Coordinates of all heavy atoms in Angstrom, one line a residue:
M1 N 90.5 97.1 -20.6 CA 90.9 98.2 -19.8 C 89.5 99.0 -19.4 O 88.7 99.1 -20.2 CB 91.7 99.2 -20.6 CG 92.2 100.4 -19.9 SD 93.2 101.6 -20.9 CE 94.4 100.6 -21.6
T2 N 89.5 99.4 -18.1 CA 88.3 100.0 -17.6 C 88.3 101.4 -18.1 O 89.2 102.0 -18.7 CB 88.3 100.0 -16.0 OG1 89.5 100.9 -15.7 CG2 88.5 98.7 -15.5
D3 N 87.1 102.0 -18.0 CA 87.0 103.4 -18.4 C 88.0 104.4 -17.6 O 88.5 105.3 -18.2 CB 85.5 104.0 -18.2 CG 84.5 103.3 -19.2 OD1 85.1 102.9 -20.2 OD2 83.4 103.3 -19.0
K4 N 88.1 104.2 -16.3 CA 89.1 104.9 -15.5 C 90.5 104.6 -16.0 O 91.3 105.6 -16.1 CB 88.9 104.6 -14.1 CG 89.8 105.6 -13.1 CD 89.5 105.4 -11.7 CE 90.4 106.3 -10.9 NZ 90.2 106.1 -9.5
G5 N 90.8 103.4 -16.4 CA 92.2 103.1 -16.8 C 92.4 103.7 -18.2 O 93.5 104.3 -18.4
R6 N 91.4 103.8 -19.0 CA 91.6 104.4 -20.4 C 91.7 105.9 -20.2 O 92.6 106.6 -20.8 CB 90.3 104.1 -21.2 CG 90.4 104.6 -22.6 CD 89.3 104.1 -23.5 NE 89.0 102.6 -23.3 CZ 89.5 101.7 -24.2 NH1 90.2 102.2 -25.2 NH2 89.3 100.4 -24.0
L7 N 91.0 106.5 -19.2 CA 91.1 107.9 -19.0 C 92.5 108.2 -18.5 O 93.1 109.2 -18.9 CB 90.0 108.4 -18.0 CG 90.1 109.9 -17.6 CD1 89.8 110.8 -18.8 CD2 88.9 110.1 -16.6
N8 N 93.0 107.5 -17.5 CA 94.3 107.6 -17.0 C 95.4 107.5 -18.1 O 96.4 108.3 -18.2 CB 94.7 106.7 -15.9 CG 94.0 106.9 -14.6 OD1 93.9 108.1 -14.2 ND2 93.7 105.9 -13.9
Y9 N 95.2 106.6 -19.0 CA 96.1 106.3 -20.1 C 96.1 107.7 -21.0 O 97.3 108.1 -21.4 CB 95.7 105.2 -21.0 CG 96.5 105.1 -22.2 CD1 97.8 104.5 -22.2 CD2 95.9 105.4 -23.4 CE1 98.5 104.4 -23.3 CE2 96.7 105.2 -24.6 CZ 98.0 104.8 -24.6 OH 98.7 104.6 -25.7
F10 N 95.0 108.2 -21.4 CA 95.0 109.4 -22.2 C 95.5 110.7 -21.5 O 96.1 111.4 -22.1 CB 93.6 109.6 -22.8 CG 93.2 108.6 -23.8 CD1 92.2 107.8 -23.7 CD2 93.9 108.6 -25.0 CE1 91.9 106.8 -24.7 CE2 93.7 107.7 -26.1 CZ 92.6 106.8 -25.9
I11 N 95.3 110.7 -20.2 CA 95.8 111.9 -19.4 C 97.3 111.7 -19.4 O 98.1 112.7 -19.7 CB 95.2 111.9 -18.0 CG1 93.7 112.5 -18.1 CG2 96.1 112.9 -17.1 CD1 93.0 112.3 -16.8
D12 N 97.9 110.6 -19.2 CA 99.3 110.3 -19.1 C 99.9 110.6 -20.4 O 101.0 111.2 -20.5 CB 99.7 108.9 -18.6 CG 99.3 108.8 -17.2 OD1 99.0 109.7 -16.4 OD2 99.3 107.5 -16.8
C13 N 99.3 110.2 -21.5 CA 99.8 110.5 -22.9 C 99.8 112.0 -23.1 O 100.8 112.5 -23.7 CB 98.9 109.9 -24.0 SG 99.2 108.1 -24.0
G14 N 98.8 112.7 -22.7 CA 98.7 114.2 -22.8 C 99.9 114.8 -22.0 O 100.4 115.8 -22.4
L15 N 100.1 114.2 -20.8 CA 101.2 114.8 -19.9 C 102.5 114.6 -20.6 O 103.4 115.5 -20.7 CB 101.2 114.1 -18.6 CG 100.1 114.6 -17.6 CD1 100.0 113.6 -16.4 CD2 100.3 115.9 -17.1
I16 N 102.8 113.5 -21.3 CA 104.0 113.3 -22.0 C 104.2 114.2 -23.1 O 105.2 114.9 -23.2 CB 104.1 111.8 -22.4 CG1 104.3 110.9 -21.3 CG2 105.3 111.6 -23.4 CD1 104.1 109.4 -21.6
I17 N 103.1 114.4 -23.9 CA 103.3 115.3 -25.0 C 103.5 116.8 -24.6 O 104.3 117.4 -25.1 CB 102.0 115.2 -25.9 CG1 102.0 113.8 -26.5 CG2 101.9 116.3 -27.0 CD1 100.5 113.4 -27.2
T18 N 102.7 117.2 -23.6 CA 102.8 118.6 -23.2 C 104.1 118.8 -22.4 O 104.8 119.9 -22.6 CB 101.7 119.1 -22.3 OG1 101.5 118.1 -21.2 CG2 100.3 119.1 -23.1
F19 N 104.6 117.8 -21.7 CA 106.0 118.0 -21.1 C 107.0 118.2 -22.2 O 107.9 119.1 -21.9 CB 106.3 116.8 -20.2 CG 107.7 116.8 -19.7 CD1 108.1 117.6 -18.7 CD2 108.7 116.0 -20.3 CE1 109.4 117.7 -18.3 CE2 109.9 116.0 -19.9 CZ 110.4 116.9 -18.9
V20 N 107.0 117.3 -23.2 CA 108.0 117.3 -24.2 C 108.0 118.7 -24.8 O 109.0 119.3 -25.1 CB 107.9 116.1 -25.2 CG1 108.8 116.4 -26.4 CG2 108.3 114.9 -24.5
L21 N 106.8 119.2 -25.2 CA 106.7 120.5 -25.9 C 107.1 121.6 -25.0 O 107.9 122.5 -25.5 CB 105.2 120.7 -26.3 CG 104.7 120.0 -27.5 CD1 103.2 120.2 -27.6 CD2 105.3 120.5 -28.8
A22 N 106.7 121.6 -23.8 CA 107.2 122.8 -22.8 C 108.7 122.6 -22.6 O 109.4 123.7 -22.5 CB 106.4 122.6 -21.5
F23 N 109.2 121.4 -22.4 CA 110.6 121.3 -22.1 C 111.5 121.8 -23.3 O 112.5 122.6 -23.2 CB 110.9 119.8 -21.8 CG 112.4 119.6 -21.5 CD1 112.9 120.0 -20.2 CD2 113.2 119.1 -22.4 CE1 114.2 119.8 -20.0 CE2 114.6 118.8 -22.1 CZ 115.1 119.2 -20.9
I24 N 111.1 121.3 -24.5 CA 112.0 121.6 -25.7 C 111.9 123.1 -26.0 O 112.9 123.7 -26.2 CB 111.5 120.7 -27.0 CG1 111.9 119.3 -26.7 CG2 112.1 121.3 -28.2 CD1 111.4 118.4 -27.7
T25 N 110.6 123.6 -26.0 CA 110.5 125.0 -26.3 C 111.2 125.9 -25.2 O 111.7 127.0 -25.5 CB 109.1 125.5 -26.4 OG1 108.3 125.1 -25.4 CG2 108.5 124.9 -27.8
G26 N 111.1 125.4 -23.9 CA 111.8 126.1 -22.9 C 113.3 126.1 -23.0 O 114.0 127.2 -22.8
V27 N 113.9 125.0 -23.5 CA 115.3 125.0 -23.7 C 115.7 125.9 -24.9 O 116.7 126.7 -24.8 CB 115.8 123.6 -24.0 CG1 117.2 123.5 -24.5 CG2 115.7 122.7 -22.7
I28 N 114.9 125.9 -25.9 CA 115.2 126.8 -27.1 C 115.1 128.2 -26.7 O 115.8 129.1 -27.2 CB 114.2 126.4 -28.2 CG1 114.5 125.1 -28.8 CG2 114.3 127.5 -29.3 CD1 113.5 124.6 -29.8
K29 N 114.2 128.5 -25.8 CA 114.0 130.0 -25.4 C 115.1 130.5 -24.3 O 115.1 131.6 -24.1 CB 112.6 130.1 -24.7 CG 111.6 130.1 -25.7 CD 110.2 130.2 -25.0 CE 110.1 131.4 -24.1 NZ 108.8 131.7 -23.6
I30 N 116.1 129.6 -23.9 CA 117.0 130.1 -22.9 C 117.9 131.1 -23.6 O 118.6 130.7 -24.7 CB 117.8 128.9 -22.4 CG1 116.9 128.0 -21.5 CG2 119.0 129.4 -21.5 CD1 117.6 126.7 -21.0
P31 N 118.0 132.3 -23.1 CA 118.7 133.4 -23.9 C 120.2 132.9 -24.2 O 120.7 133.3 -25.2 CB 118.7 134.5 -22.9 CG 117.4 134.3 -22.1 CD 117.3 132.9 -21.9
E32 N 120.8 132.3 -23.2 CA 122.3 131.9 -23.5 C 122.4 130.9 -24.5 O 123.6 130.6 -25.0 CB 122.9 131.4 -22.1 CG 123.1 132.5 -21.1 CD 121.8 132.8 -20.3 OE1 120.8 132.0 -20.4 OE2 121.7 133.8 -19.6
L33 N 121.3 130.2 -24.9 CA 121.4 129.1 -25.8 C 120.7 129.4 -27.2 O 120.8 128.6 -28.1 CB 120.7 127.8 -25.3 CG 121.4 127.2 -24.0 CD1 120.5 126.0 -23.6 CD2 122.8 126.8 -24.2
T34 N 120.2 130.6 -27.4 CA 119.5 130.9 -28.6 C 120.4 130.8 -29.8 O 119.9 130.5 -30.9 CB 118.8 132.3 -28.6 OG1 119.8 133.3 -28.2 CG2 117.7 132.3 -27.6
W35 N 121.7 131.1 -29.7 CA 122.6 131.0 -30.8 C 122.7 129.5 -31.3 O 122.9 129.3 -32.5 CB 123.9 131.6 -30.4 CG 124.7 130.7 -29.4 CD1 124.7 130.8 -28.0 CD2 125.6 129.6 -29.6 NE1 125.4 129.8 -27.4 CE2 125.9 129.2 -28.4 CE3 126.1 129.0 -30.7 CZ2 127.0 128.1 -28.2 CZ3 127.0 128.0 -30.6 CH2 127.4 127.5 -29.4
L36 N 122.5 128.6 -30.5 CA 122.5 127.2 -31.0 C 121.3 126.9 -31.8 O 121.4 126.0 -32.6 CB 122.5 126.3 -29.8 CG 123.7 126.1 -28.9 CD1 123.4 125.3 -27.6 CD2 124.9 125.5 -29.7
F37 N 120.2 127.6 -31.6 CA 119.0 127.3 -32.4 C 118.6 128.3 -33.4 O 117.5 128.4 -33.7 CB 117.8 127.1 -31.3 CG 118.2 126.0 -30.2 CD1 118.5 126.4 -29.0 CD2 118.1 124.7 -30.6 CE1 118.7 125.5 -28.0 CE2 118.4 123.8 -29.6 CZ 118.8 124.2 -28.3
R38 N 119.6 129.1 -33.8 CA 119.2 130.2 -34.7 C 118.5 129.7 -36.0 O 117.7 130.4 -36.6 CB 120.4 131.1 -35.0 CG 121.5 130.3 -35.8 CD 122.7 131.3 -36.1 NE 123.9 130.6 -36.5 CZ 124.8 130.1 -35.8 NH1 124.9 130.4 -34.5 NH2 125.9 129.4 -36.3
D39 N 118.8 128.6 -36.4 CA 118.2 127.9 -37.7 C 116.7 127.6 -37.4 O 115.9 127.7 -38.3 CB 118.9 126.7 -38.1 CG 120.4 127.0 -38.7 OD1 120.6 128.3 -39.1 OD2 121.2 126.2 -38.8
V40 N 116.5 127.2 -36.2 CA 115.1 126.9 -35.7 C 114.2 128.2 -36.0 O 113.0 128.1 -36.4 CB 115.0 126.5 -34.3 CG1 113.6 126.3 -33.9 CG2 115.7 125.1 -34.2
F41 N 114.8 129.3 -35.6 CA 114.0 130.6 -35.6 C 113.7 131.0 -37.1 O 112.8 131.7 -37.2 CB 114.8 131.7 -34.9 CG 114.9 131.4 -33.4 CD1 116.2 131.6 -32.8 CD2 114.0 131.0 -32.6 CE1 116.5 131.2 -31.6 CE2 114.2 130.6 -31.3 CZ 115.4 130.8 -30.7
L42 N 114.4 130.5 -38.1 CA 114.0 130.7 -39.5 C 112.9 129.9 -39.9 O 112.2 130.4 -40.7 CB 115.3 130.3 -40.3 CG 116.6 131.1 -40.2 CD1 117.7 130.4 -41.0 CD2 116.4 132.5 -40.5
I43 N 112.6 128.9 -39.2 CA 111.4 128.0 -39.6 C 110.2 128.5 -38.6 O 109.1 128.6 -39.2 CB 111.7 126.6 -39.4 CG1 112.9 126.1 -40.3 CG2 110.6 125.7 -39.7 CD1 113.5 124.8 -40.0
V44 N 110.5 128.5 -37.4 CA 109.4 128.8 -36.4 C 109.9 130.0 -35.6 O 110.9 130.1 -34.9 CB 109.3 127.6 -35.3 CG1 108.1 128.0 -34.4 CG2 109.0 126.4 -36.1
P45 N 109.1 131.2 -35.8 CA 109.4 132.4 -35.0 C 109.4 132.2 -33.5 O 108.6 131.4 -33.0 CB 108.4 133.4 -35.5 CG 107.6 132.8 -36.6 CD 107.9 131.3 -36.6
M46 N 110.1 133.0 -32.9 CA 110.2 133.0 -31.4 C 108.8 133.2 -30.7 O 108.4 132.6 -29.8 CB 111.1 134.0 -30.8 CG 111.2 134.1 -29.3 SD 111.9 132.5 -28.6 CE 113.6 132.8 -28.4
S47 N 108.0 134.0 -31.4 CA 106.6 134.3 -30.8 C 105.8 133.0 -30.9 O 105.1 132.8 -30.0 CB 106.0 135.5 -31.6 OG 105.8 135.2 -32.9
T48 N 105.9 132.2 -32.0 CA 105.2 131.0 -32.1 C 105.7 130.0 -31.0 O 105.0 129.4 -30.4 CB 105.3 130.5 -33.4 OG1 104.8 131.4 -34.5 CG2 104.5 129.1 -33.7
L49 N 107.0 130.0 -30.9 CA 107.6 129.0 -29.8 C 107.2 129.3 -28.5 O 106.8 128.6 -27.6 CB 109.2 129.1 -29.9 CG 109.8 128.3 -31.2 CD1 111.3 128.7 -31.1 CD2 109.6 126.9 -31.1
S50 N 107.0 130.7 -28.2 CA 106.6 131.2 -26.8 C 105.1 130.8 -26.7 O 104.7 130.3 -25.5 CB 106.7 132.7 -26.7 OG 108.0 133.1 -26.6
K51 N 104.3 130.9 -27.7 CA 102.9 130.5 -27.6 C 102.8 129.0 -27.3 O 102.0 128.5 -26.5 CB 102.1 130.9 -28.9 CG 101.8 132.3 -28.9 CD 101.0 132.6 -30.2 CE 100.7 134.2 -30.2 NZ 100.0 134.6 -31.5
I52 N 103.5 128.2 -28.1 CA 103.5 126.7 -27.8 C 104.0 126.4 -26.4 O 103.4 125.6 -25.8 CB 104.4 126.0 -28.9 CG1 103.9 126.2 -30.3 CG2 104.7 124.6 -28.5 CD1 104.9 125.7 -31.4
H53 N 105.0 127.1 -25.9 CA 105.5 126.9 -24.6 C 104.4 127.3 -23.6 O 104.2 126.5 -22.7 CB 106.8 127.7 -24.4 CG 107.3 127.5 -23.0 ND1 108.1 126.4 -22.7 CD2 107.3 128.4 -21.9 CE1 108.5 126.5 -21.4 NE2 108.1 127.7 -21.0
D54 N 103.8 128.4 -23.8 CA 102.8 128.8 -22.7 C 101.6 127.9 -22.7 O 101.1 127.5 -21.6 CB 102.4 130.3 -23.0 CG 103.6 131.2 -22.8 OD1 104.5 130.9 -22.2 OD2 103.4 132.4 -23.3
I55 N 101.1 127.6 -23.9 CA 99.9 126.8 -24.0 C 100.1 125.4 -23.6 O 99.3 124.8 -22.8 CB 99.2 126.8 -25.5 CG1 98.7 128.2 -25.7 CG2 98.2 125.8 -25.6 CD1 98.4 128.4 -27.2
S56 N 101.3 124.8 -23.9 CA 101.6 123.4 -23.4 C 101.7 123.4 -21.9 O 101.4 122.5 -21.3 CB 102.8 122.8 -24.2 OG 103.9 123.6 -23.9
G57 N 102.3 124.5 -21.4 CA 102.5 124.5 -19.9 C 101.1 124.6 -19.2 O 100.8 124.0 -18.2
I58 N 100.2 125.4 -19.7 CA 98.8 125.5 -19.1 C 98.0 124.2 -19.2 O 97.5 123.7 -18.3 CB 98.1 126.6 -19.7 CG1 98.7 127.9 -19.4 CG2 96.6 126.6 -19.4 CD1 98.2 129.2 -20.2
V59 N 98.1 123.5 -20.4 CA 97.5 122.3 -20.7 C 98.1 121.2 -19.7 O 97.4 120.4 -19.1 CB 97.5 121.8 -22.1 CG1 97.0 120.4 -22.3 CG2 96.7 122.8 -23.0
M60 N 99.4 121.3 -19.6 CA 100.1 120.2 -18.7 C 99.6 120.5 -17.3 O 99.3 119.5 -16.5 CB 101.6 120.4 -18.8 CG 102.3 119.4 -17.9 SD 104.1 119.2 -18.1 CE 104.6 121.0 -18.3
G61 N 99.5 121.7 -16.8 CA 99.0 122.0 -15.5 C 97.6 121.5 -15.3 O 97.3 120.9 -14.2
L62 N 96.7 121.7 -16.3 CA 95.4 121.1 -16.1 C 95.4 119.6 -16.1 O 94.6 119.0 -15.3 CB 94.5 121.6 -17.3 CG 94.2 123.2 -17.3 CD1 93.6 123.6 -18.6 CD2 93.4 123.6 -16.2
L63 N 96.1 119.0 -16.8 CA 96.3 117.5 -16.9 C 96.8 117.0 -15.6 O 96.3 116.0 -15.0 CB 97.1 117.1 -18.1 CG 96.5 117.2 -19.4 CD1 97.6 116.9 -20.6 CD2 95.3 116.3 -19.6
V64 N 97.8 117.7 -15.0 CA 98.3 117.3 -13.6 C 97.2 117.4 -12.6 O 97.0 116.6 -11.8 CB 99.6 118.2 -13.3 CG1 99.8 118.1 -11.8 CG2 100.8 117.9 -14.1
L65 N 96.4 118.5 -12.7 CA 95.3 118.7 -11.8 C 94.3 117.5 -12.0 O 93.8 116.9 -10.9 CB 94.5 120.0 -12.0 CG 93.4 120.3 -11.1 CD1 93.9 120.4 -9.6 CD2 92.8 121.7 -11.5
A66 N 94.0 117.1 -13.2 CA 93.0 116.1 -13.5 C 93.6 114.7 -13.0 O 92.9 113.9 -12.3 CB 92.8 115.9 -14.9
H67 N 94.9 114.5 -13.1 CA 95.6 113.4 -12.6 C 95.5 113.3 -11.1 O 95.2 112.2 -10.5 CB 97.1 113.4 -13.1 CG 97.8 112.2 -12.8 ND1 97.8 111.0 -13.6 CD2 98.7 111.9 -11.8 CE1 98.6 110.1 -13.1 NE2 99.1 110.6 -12.0
L68 N 95.8 114.4 -10.5 CA 95.7 114.4 -9.0 C 94.2 114.1 -8.4 O 94.1 113.3 -7.4 CB 96.2 115.6 -8.4 CG 97.7 115.9 -8.6 CD1 98.0 117.4 -8.1 CD2 98.6 114.9 -7.8
I69 N 93.3 114.6 -9.1 CA 91.9 114.4 -8.7 C 91.5 112.9 -8.9 O 91.0 112.3 -8.0 CB 91.0 115.3 -9.5 CG1 91.2 116.8 -9.1 CG2 89.5 114.9 -9.4 CD1 90.4 117.8 -10.0
L70 N 91.9 112.4 -10.0 CA 91.6 111.0 -10.2 C 92.3 110.0 -9.2 O 91.8 108.9 -9.0 CB 92.0 110.5 -11.7 CG 91.1 111.1 -12.8 CD1 91.7 110.8 -14.2 CD2 89.8 110.4 -12.6
H71 N 93.5 110.5 -8.7 CA 94.2 109.6 -7.8 C 94.2 110.1 -6.5 O 95.0 109.6 -5.5 CB 95.7 109.5 -8.3 CG 95.9 108.8 -9.6 ND1 95.7 109.5 -10.8 CD2 96.1 107.5 -9.9 CE1 96.0 108.6 -11.8 NE2 96.1 107.4 -11.2
W72 N 93.2 111.0 -6.2 CA 93.2 111.5 -4.7 C 93.0 110.5 -3.6 O 93.6 110.6 -2.6 CB 92.0 112.6 -4.7 CG 92.1 113.3 -3.4 CD1 91.2 113.2 -2.3 CD2 93.1 114.2 -2.9 NE1 91.6 114.0 -1.3 CE2 92.7 114.6 -1.7 CE3 94.2 114.7 -3.5 CZ2 93.5 115.6 -0.9 CZ3 95.0 115.6 -2.8 CH2 94.7 116.1 -1.5
N73 N 92.1 109.5 -3.8 CA 91.9 108.5 -2.8 C 93.3 107.7 -2.5 O 93.5 107.4 -1.4 CB 90.8 107.6 -3.2 CG 89.5 108.3 -3.1 OD1 89.3 109.2 -2.4 ND2 88.5 107.7 -4.0
W74 N 93.9 107.4 -3.6 CA 95.2 106.7 -3.5 C 96.2 107.6 -2.6 O 97.0 107.1 -1.8 CB 95.8 106.3 -4.8 CG 97.1 105.6 -4.6 CD1 97.4 104.3 -4.4 CD2 98.4 106.3 -4.9 NE1 98.7 104.1 -4.4 CE2 99.4 105.2 -4.7 CE3 98.8 107.5 -5.1 CZ2 100.7 105.5 -4.8 CZ3 100.2 107.8 -5.2 CH2 101.2 106.8 -5.0
I75 N 96.3 108.9 -3.0 CA 97.2 109.8 -2.4 C 96.9 109.9 -0.9 O 97.8 109.9 0.0 CB 97.1 111.2 -2.9 CG1 97.7 111.2 -4.4 CG2 97.9 112.3 -2.2 CD1 97.4 112.4 -5.3
V76 N 95.6 109.9 -0.5 CA 95.2 110.1 0.9 C 95.6 108.8 1.5 O 96.2 108.8 2.7 CB 93.6 110.3 1.0 CG1 93.2 110.2 2.4 CG2 93.4 111.8 0.5
A77 N 95.3 107.6 1.0 CA 95.6 106.4 1.6 C 97.2 106.2 1.8 O 97.6 105.6 2.9 CB 95.0 105.2 0.8
M78 N 97.9 106.5 0.9 CA 99.4 106.5 1.1 C 99.9 107.5 2.1 O 100.9 107.1 2.8 CB 100.0 106.7 -0.3 CG 99.9 105.6 -1.3 SD 100.5 104.0 -0.7 CE 102.2 104.3 -0.6
T79 N 99.3 108.6 2.1 CA 99.8 109.5 3.1 C 99.4 109.0 4.5 O 100.3 109.3 5.4 CB 99.1 110.9 2.9 OG1 99.4 111.4 1.6 CG2 99.5 112.0 3.9
K80 N 98.3 108.5 4.7 CA 97.9 108.0 5.9 C 98.8 106.8 6.4 O 99.2 106.7 7.5 CB 96.5 107.5 6.0 CG 95.5 108.6 6.1 CD 94.0 108.2 6.0 CE 93.0 109.3 6.1 NZ 91.7 108.9 6.1
S81 N 99.0 105.9 5.5 CA 99.9 104.7 5.8 C 101.3 105.1 6.0 O 102.0 104.5 6.8 CB 99.8 103.6 4.6 OG 100.4 104.2 3.5
T82 N 101.8 106.2 5.4 CA 103.2 106.7 5.6 C 103.3 107.5 6.8 O 104.3 107.2 7.6 CB 103.6 107.4 4.4 OG1 103.4 106.7 3.2 CG2 105.0 107.9 4.5
F83 N 102.5 108.4 7.0 CA 102.6 109.3 8.2 C 101.7 109.0 9.4 O 101.9 109.6 10.4 CB 102.4 110.8 7.7 CG 103.5 111.2 6.7 CD1 103.1 111.3 5.4 CD2 104.8 111.4 7.1 CE1 104.0 111.7 4.4 CE2 105.8 111.7 6.1 CZ 105.4 112.0 4.8
G84 N 100.8 108.1 9.2 CA 99.8 107.8 10.2 C 100.3 106.8 11.3 O 99.8 106.7 12.3
K85 N 101.4 106.2 10.9 CA 102.0 105.2 11.9 C 102.7 105.9 13.1 O 103.3 106.9 12.9 CB 103.0 104.2 11.2 CG 102.5 103.4 10.1 CD 103.4 102.6 9.5 CE 102.8 101.8 8.3 NZ 103.8 100.9 7.6
K86 N 102.5 105.3 14.2 CA 103.1 105.9 15.4 C 104.4 105.3 15.6 O 104.7 104.1 15.3 CB 102.3 105.6 16.6 CG 100.9 106.0 16.6 CD 100.5 106.9 17.8 CE 99.0 107.1 17.8 NZ 98.7 108.5 17.4
I87 N 105.4 106.1 16.0 CA 106.9 105.6 16.0 C 107.2 105.4 17.5 O 106.8 105.9 18.3 CB 107.8 106.7 15.4 CG1 107.6 106.9 14.0 CG2 109.2 106.2 15.6 CD1 108.3 108.0 13.4

């Protein structure tokens, strides 16, 4: 695996982890569903869940930005080949 491939792999792993954290904590924080997760709040306070949600969302955003930067040439090439053709 090349260095760029290894970097992509770790960025993608980070994206998966941060997505799962943000998604699960986001679902738990939905006001209409908090009664389903009342036992969770006995173990992990809502303030901690909110911090996990916020931090994982920020880290996920940074990883998405890094992913887009690393794939920028491919994005440009695909955009040109898709929209650059004359009909």
Side-chain angles (χ1 to χ4, degrees):
M1 185 183 306
T2 65
D3 287 341
K4 187 173 180 180
R6 189 175 304 268
L7 181 60
N8 282 325
Y9 173 77
F10 286 116
I11 287 174
D12 290 347
C13 287
L15 284 169
I16 291 168
I17 292 166
T18 55
F19 169 77
V20 168
L21 284 171
F23 182 79
I24 291 172
T25 55
V27 169
I28 291 172
K29 288 177 55 172
I30 295 173
E32 293 80 12
L33 299 179
T34 54
W35 66 272
L36 288 170
F37 304 106
R38 64 180 171 264
D39 293 340
V40 172
F41 301 129
L42 296 174
I43 301 167
V44 183
M46 179 63 96
S47 61
T48 302
L49 287 172
S50 287
K51 284 181 185 178
I52 293 169
H53 182 76
D54 295 346
I55 291 169
S56 63
I58 290 168
V59 172
M60 183 172 38
L62 293 171
L63 290 170
V64 167
L65 182 62
H67 186 82
L68 290 173
I69 290 169
L70 286 172
H71 293 88
W72 186 251
N73 291 334
W74 178 83
I75 294 168
V76 169
M78 288 303 294
T79 302
K80 285 180 180 178
S81 71
T82 303
F83 298 107
K85 295 179 181 178
K86 303 232 188 255
I87 299 176

